[in-house]
Amino acid sequence: MRLRAIARWRLLALACLVHAPLAQAVPSFGEVRQDFSSSETRVLSREGELLQRVRTDSTVRRGDWVALGDVSAALRTAMLLSEDKRFYEHSGVDWAAVTAAAWGNLWNQRTRGASTISMQLAGLLDGDWRRSNGGRSVVQKVGQTVAAQVLDRRWQKTQILEAYLNLVPFRGELVGIDALSRTLFDKAPHGLDDREAAVAAALVRAPNARPSQVGQRACGVLREMRRDPKVDCEAIVFFTEIALKKRAFDASEGIAPHFSRIALREARQGADGKTQPAAMTSLRTTLSAPLQRYAVDILGQHLQALRSSNVQDGAVLVLDNASGEVLAWVGSSGALSQAHAVDAVLAPRQPGSTLKPFLYGQAIAERKLTAASLIEDSPARIPTASGLYIPQNYDRSFKGWVSVRTALGASLNVPAVRTLVMVGVDDFFDQLVRLGMPMRESGSYFGYSLALGSPDIPLVQLTNAYRALANGGRYSPVAYARGGKPQFRQAMDAGAAYVVGDMLADGNARVRTFGLDSVLGTRSWAAVKTGTSKDMRDNWAVGWSDRYTVGVWVGNASGEAMHSVSGTSGAAPVWASIMAFLHQGQPSRAPKPPPGLHEQWVDFGPAPAGQSGAGFALEARREEWFLAGTGQPRFALDGQATGVDEMVGGRSFAGRPTEARGADAPAAVRILAPANGTIVAVDPDIPPDRQRLQFVADSAAARWRIDGKDVARGARWAWLPWPGRHQVELVNAQGEVLDSIRLEVRGAGVKQAKR
C-alpha cells in the first residue's frame, strides 16, 4: 500500500510539470465573458429595444450572461453549501477535502468529493480536464488542480463564482443559471427563493438523476440553508418533480416572432445566396418598438371586439414609403388565434376589391378612362368561354351611371369588371406582376374575376404594391435590413398613380357606399382602399400617407367565413388607429402632382330616366385631374340604359358616355349578345324564370329566330334556355338573315318551381 501511494505522488508531481504550460494559458475573466454566446439571438428594434428572443442553437440552451449581483442571495448560498463550503478560504484547491478524500480512498471509505468550484470551472473552460463517462484520470485531475490555482491567483473570487454559475450544466440541454431559472421556474435568476435555489444546487451534483433523487438532495441542501432538520422532504420532492416538468422558457418570446425569423434569415443570407452559419447574439432590425407594441395591442383589442362575428385572426404591416423598411410586422393575433404560428403577413389570401386601384390606374395610364369618365353600374352578363360571368356589387344594388372616381371610391364591382373588359385580362395580370405581386396562374385562369381580387396574394406584397402608388408608381422590394438604398423601377405611370391616390383620398367619392361619417376619414391626408373576399373569408384595409403605407388583414386562418363584417367594421378601424398613431405628432400632407397632369373644372350631364336623380346632373361640378390630352369640360350620356346590359368585345351598348362614342359604333344590324359559341350551363336547382338568357340586337326592328322558328321581335329578348345546340338568327321583315350565332345549352332540364 505504501509503495502504491508513493508511486501515485510521484505521478502527480510529474503531471504538474507536464500541465504547467497549459495552466499558464488559462483565459482571463474578460475573455471568457466575451466568448460567451447565448443559444438565442436577441432581436432588437431600430431604437435598440429588445423585441424578441429567438433560439438559434438547437444543441444547447443558454440564456444571457448574468452578473453575480443579479443572482439571488439564496442561490449563491445554496451553491456554496452544496459544492464548495470553504470557497472563500482556499486558493483554488481545498487541500483539507483532498486529504480527506485520499484517506477515504486509501481505506475504501465513501467521502464527499474534493472538487472545488474553481476546479470545476477549470474543467468547463478546458475540455482536456472535463469528466468523461469513466471519470477523470489522475493526470486530468492534476491538470485541473494546477489550473484551479492559477484561476484563483488571476481572478477574483466573485468572478470565478459568476463564470461558474453561467457555464455550469444543470439538466439536459440547460446550461447556465439564466436558462435554468427561466425554463424551470419562469423567472429571472435574481428572483429565485431558497426552495428553487436548493433544487438548482442539487442539479449540479446529479443533473441526470431521477426527479425524486434530485428532490431528496435538494431537501438536504435546504436543511443546511435554513438550519432546520425538520424540513418536509416529501413536499420538496413533490416541488422538484413539478419543476422538472416545466418548459416555460419558450424557443421564441417577445412581440415580433414572425418578423424576427425573417430578419435573422435575411441577415444570414450571404452574397452568394447561401445561408451562412454565423452565430449572432443580437440583431438590430428596422422595426420600431413603440409602433410594434401599439400594432400588437390595437389588433388584439379589435379582434376581441369581433369575436362575436367569428373573427380570430389578423395581421398588420407598416412600411416606410421612402426606404421600404418594415416598421411593424404583426403576423398573428397570438393567444387569440388557434394558428398563432402561421404568419398571416406572408399567407396568400384573396385581396378582394383592393386590386381595383391598380386596374383603374392602368386604364387611366392607357388613356382609356379618366377620373371623370362615366361607367354604368347596372346588371351585366359577360359571355366567356365557360359561360356567362355575372358580377354583383357588395350591397346587391346598382347605382346607374357613375364616374370612375365614384366607382373606385364606393368600391363598385360592375364598373370594375367593365374596366377590366376594356383593359384586357392579360394586360392587367402583367400590371400586377410588375407591381411585385406573386401570380402563380395566368390571366386567363382568373378571367374577369381578376378585377374583384380572385387571386391569392400575401399582405406583404399587396401592401408594398400600394407603397408603389405612394411613390408615384415606382416599385422597389421590401427592405428587411436597415441602411440599404432602395432600387426603384417604374411600374405604373406616375400621373395615373397620382390620380388613383387622389381618388382614394376623396371622402366624397366613398359616400355612396361608406356614408359621410366613415372610419376611413383621417384627420390628415391619406389614401385607402378596403376589400372583402368571397364568402366573407378575408377583410382588408390598405392605404398610405405621405410617409407610411399600412396594410391590415382580418379573418380566420382556417378559411372559415366571418359573420356580418363589412369593409369599415373589419380591418379599417385598425388601419385608421395605426395611421393616427403614426401621425400624432406630424400631420400627413398631400403629395405634389407630377409633370404632365393638369386640373380643370368638369360638369356632368343629367342622369337618365329610371336612375335616381333623373333629370339632375349625374354628379356635382368639380375640379378633376387629367393626364395630358385626356381632359374635357363636360361628361354626359348620348342615350339611356335600361334592363340588363350585355358587354361584348369590351364595349357597352346600352348607352355610353359621349367621350366613348365614335367610329366604332356598329354600322350594320347584328347580334350584340350573346357571343357566338357561348356555352350556357342550366342549374336544375334554380327556377326557370331566374335563368333566362338575354339576347341583344342593335335594332328595335329586329326579329329573332331559333332553330328556324320565329320566336320574338325587338332589340332585346329574354329566352328560357333549353339543353342542346341551337342556331340563333336575326332576320328582317322579308325573312333575310342579317346575323347569326351558335350556342350550346348544357344540362338535363330544369325543375319546376314549387307551388
Side-chain angles (χ1 to χ4, degrees):
M1 276 296 203
R2 183 177 178 82
L3 293 175
R4 185 182 299 175
I6 293 173
R8 183 175 296 176
W9 283 110
R10 288 177 177 174
L11 185 59
L12 288 174
L14 179 62
C16 287
L17 294 175
V18 172
H19 284 283
L22 294 177
Q24 297 300 321
V26 170
S28 67
F29 174 78
E31 291 172 334
V32 172
R33 173 69 182 87
Q34 184 176 2
D35 290 343
F36 178 86
S37 62
S38 171
S39 62
E40 302 167 330
T41 299
R42 295 164 56 88
V43 179
L44 308 177
S45 70
R46 64 194 306 117
E47 301 89 0
E49 296 184 38
L50 178 63
L51 291 172
Q52 193 78 26
R53 302 162 62 106
V54 182
R55 184 173 181 182
T56 50
D57 186 346
S58 60
T59 63
V60 71
R61 168 151 289 188
R62 286 186 299 267
D64 296 329
W65 183 278
V66 181
L68 189 60
D70 293 329
V71 176
S72 72
L75 178 61
R76 284 179 278 171
T77 300
M79 201 63 69
L80 294 178
L81 286 174
S82 175
E83 296 300 311
D84 197 347
K85 293 182 178 179
R86 288 183 286 272
F87 173 72
Y88 287 105
E89 300 171 12
H90 61 67
S91 58
V93 180
D94 189 349
W95 292 110
V98 170
T99 302
W103 278 107
N105 290 335
L106 184 63
W107 300 104
N108 294 322
Q109 294 177 344
R110 187 178 182 86
T111 62
R112 180 187 180 278
S115 179
T116 64
I117 286 179
S118 300
M119 294 172 66
Q120 292 180 52
L121 178 60
L124 294 172
L125 295 178
D126 194 319
D128 291 339
W129 301 324
R130 291 178 186 171
R131 178 190 293 272
S132 63
N133 293 333
R136 295 186 183 90
S137 66
V138 174
V139 174
Q140 285 178 315
K141 289 181 179 179
V142 172
Q144 185 184 24
T145 300
V146 175
Q149 294 181 83
V150 175
L151 274 173
D152 206 77
R153 287 198 305 270
R154 295 182 180 177
W155 290 26
Q156 300 175 14
K157 286 286 188 180
T158 54
Q159 293 176 333
I160 293 174
L161 184 56
E162 179 178 319
Y164 176 75
L165 290 173
N166 282 283
L167 298 177
V168 64
F170 282 97
R171 188 175 183 85
E173 65 179 4
L174 301 177
V175 173
I177 192 59
D178 190 49
L180 176 83
S181 300
R182 296 183 184 277
T183 302
L184 300 189
F185 307 116
D186 195 18
K187 59 173 65 173
H190 65 76
L192 296 182
D193 59 26
D194 55 358
R195 286 192 310 170
E196 295 160 342
V199 173
L203 284 171
V204 173
R205 183 63 58 87
N208 298 315
R210 294 193 302 271
S212 60
Q213 293 177 318
V214 177
Q216 288 291 342
R217 173 156 179 78
C219 182
V221 175
L222 189 59
R223 282 174 174 173
E224 286 194 77
M225 293 174 67
R226 294 180 178 178
R227 297 179 182 178
D228 181 5
K230 296 181 180 180
V231 170
D232 186 356
C233 284
E234 189 173 329
I236 298 301
V237 170
F238 179 74
F239 173 79
T240 303
E241 290 175 344
I242 296 298
L244 294 183
K245 292 179 180 179
K246 292 182 180 179
R247 291 293 181 269
F249 198 4
D250 293 333
S252 179
E253 64 174 353
I255 59 173
H258 301 95
F259 177 76
S260 295
R261 291 196 294 266
I262 296 172
L264 286 170
R265 182 192 65 201
E266 293 292 325
R268 289 175 175 160
Q269 198 76 13
D272 57 357
K274 297 181 179 179
T275 301
Q276 307 297 319
M280 277 184 290
T281 57
S282 65
L283 174 65
R284 183 167 287 201
T285 66
T286 61
L287 258 61
S288 167
L291 177 61
Q292 179 73 9
R293 282 193 294 268
Y294 183 81
V296 170
D297 291 343
I298 196 65
L299 178 64
Q301 293 173 20
H302 188 61
L303 289 177
Q304 283 279 19
L306 289 177
R307 289 190 74 83
S308 60
S309 299
N310 194 38
V311 183
Q312 67 171 222
D313 293 298
V316 174
L317 179 67
V318 181
L319 302 176
D320 181 273
N321 288 345
S323 65
E325 293 180 357
V326 178
L327 302 179
W329 181 301
V330 185
S332 80
S333 55
L336 297 176
S337 172
Q338 296 180 1
H340 57 84
V342 176
D343 190 348
V345 175
L346 299 177
R349 311 286 298 197
Q350 286 191 340
S353 294
T354 57
L355 295 188
K356 291 175 183 175
F358 310 111
L359 174 60
Y360 286 112
Q362 184 174 1
I364 291 171
E366 294 176 357
R367 289 169 166 73
K368 294 177 178 177
L369 288 175
T370 70
S373 296
L374 298 175
I375 304 182
E376 189 178 12
D377 180 34
S378 64
R381 289 176 170 86
I382 304 173
T384 68
S386 58
L388 291 176
Y389 178 61
I390 307 175
Q392 293 288 334
N393 284 328
Y394 175 80
D395 58 2
R396 299 288 177 175
S397 66
F398 300 94
K399 309 298 187 294
W401 288 94
V402 296
S403 69
V404 167
R405 178 176 290 270
T406 298
L408 177 58
S411 195
L412 303 178
N413 286 345
V414 177
V417 175
R418 295 183 191 278
T419 301
L420 181 57
V421 174
M422 189 182 308
V423 168
V425 171
D426 290 331
D427 289 343
F428 181 47
F429 178 91
D430 293 340
Q431 173 68 80
L432 296 178
V433 172
R434 286 194 297 272
L435 288 162
M437 295 187 221
M439 310 287 281
R440 291 177 293 182
E441 308 292 345
S442 63
S444 58
Y445 175 86
F446 299 106
Y448 294 118
S449 67
L450 191 61
L452 308 183
S454 57
D456 292 332
I457 298 175
L459 178 63
V460 60
Q461 277 91 6
L462 180 64
T463 304
N464 197 41
Y466 271 73
R467 174 177 158 259
L469 294 177
N471 283 307
R474 296 182 306 147
Y475 168 85
S476 74
V478 172
Y480 298 99
R482 299 179 63 198
K485 186 176 180 180
Q487 302 297 316
F488 285 106
R489 56 177 171 79
Q490 200 71 39
M492 180 183 285
D493 179 81
Y498 177 88
V499 174
V500 168
D502 187 68
M503 292 190 291
L504 292 179
D506 185 358
N508 292 327
R510 292 192 288 264
V511 168
R512 293 201 180 188
T513 296
F514 299 100
L516 292 170
D517 188 20
S518 169
V519 69
L520 299 175
T522 54
R523 299 185 65 178
S524 57
W525 188 91
V528 59
K529 184 73 186 72
T530 61
T532 304
S533 69
K534 183 181 179 182
D535 298 328
M536 291 282 185
R537 299 182 186 278
D538 309 280
N539 189 260
W540 311 75
V542 191
W544 71 92
S545 65
D546 60 349
R547 295 181 59 191
Y548 310 103
T549 301
V550 179
V552 180
W553 167 84
V554 299
N556 293 299
S558 64
E560 190 175 353
M562 300 173 287
H563 302 161
S564 302
V565 175
S566 67
T568 55
S569 66
V574 178
W575 179 90
S577 297
I578 293 175
M579 195 61 78
F581 179 86
L582 288 166
H583 288 285
Q584 57 186 341
Q586 183 178 356
S588 172
R589 292 180 171 83
K592 295 180 180 180
L597 278 181
H598 71 276
E599 193 175 21
Q600 71 177 68
W601 285 95
V602 295
D603 292 298
F604 294 89
Q611 181 171 327
S612 177
F616 294 92
L618 284 163
E619 295 189 11
R621 186 172 186 263
R622 63 171 182 259
E623 283 188 295
E624 193 59 89
W625 289 100
F626 296 96
L627 270 64
T630 64
Q632 63 184 58
R634 180 177 173 80
F635 289 80
L637 305 176
D638 65 351
Q640 294 185 352
T642 59
V644 176
D645 180 19
E646 287 285 351
M647 296 185 67
V648 183
R651 294 174 294 176
S652 170
F653 292 96
R656 294 175 294 171
T658 54
E659 76 276 14
R661 195 85 169 181
D664 65 337
V669 178
R670 59 192 179 99
I671 299 172
L672 302 179
N676 187 35
T678 293
I679 300 174
V680 179
V682 176
D683 190 334
D685 293 320
I686 299 177
D689 288 342
R690 300 291 182 88
Q691 301 188 74
R692 291 184 178 274
L693 182 62
Q694 298 291 325
F695 289 88
V696 183
D698 56 3
S699 172
R703 296 169 59 189
W704 297 94
R705 182 185 295 169
I706 294 183
D707 298 332
K709 296 181 180 180
D710 291 339
V711 291
R713 65 175 58 192
R716 291 176 178 270
W717 173 54
W719 175 63
L720 177 62
W722 196 254
R725 292 184 175 88
H726 306 280
Q727 181 168 349
V728 181
E729 296 173 326
L730 195 65
V731 300
N732 58 19
Q734 291 74 35
E736 297 173 337
V737 177
L738 304 176
D739 196 5
S740 67
I741 61 170
R742 290 184 177 274
L743 59 86
E744 180 180 354
V745 179
R746 295 178 181 176
V750 295
K751 293 182 179 180
Q752 296 298 321
K754 294 182 180 180
R755 296 180 180 176

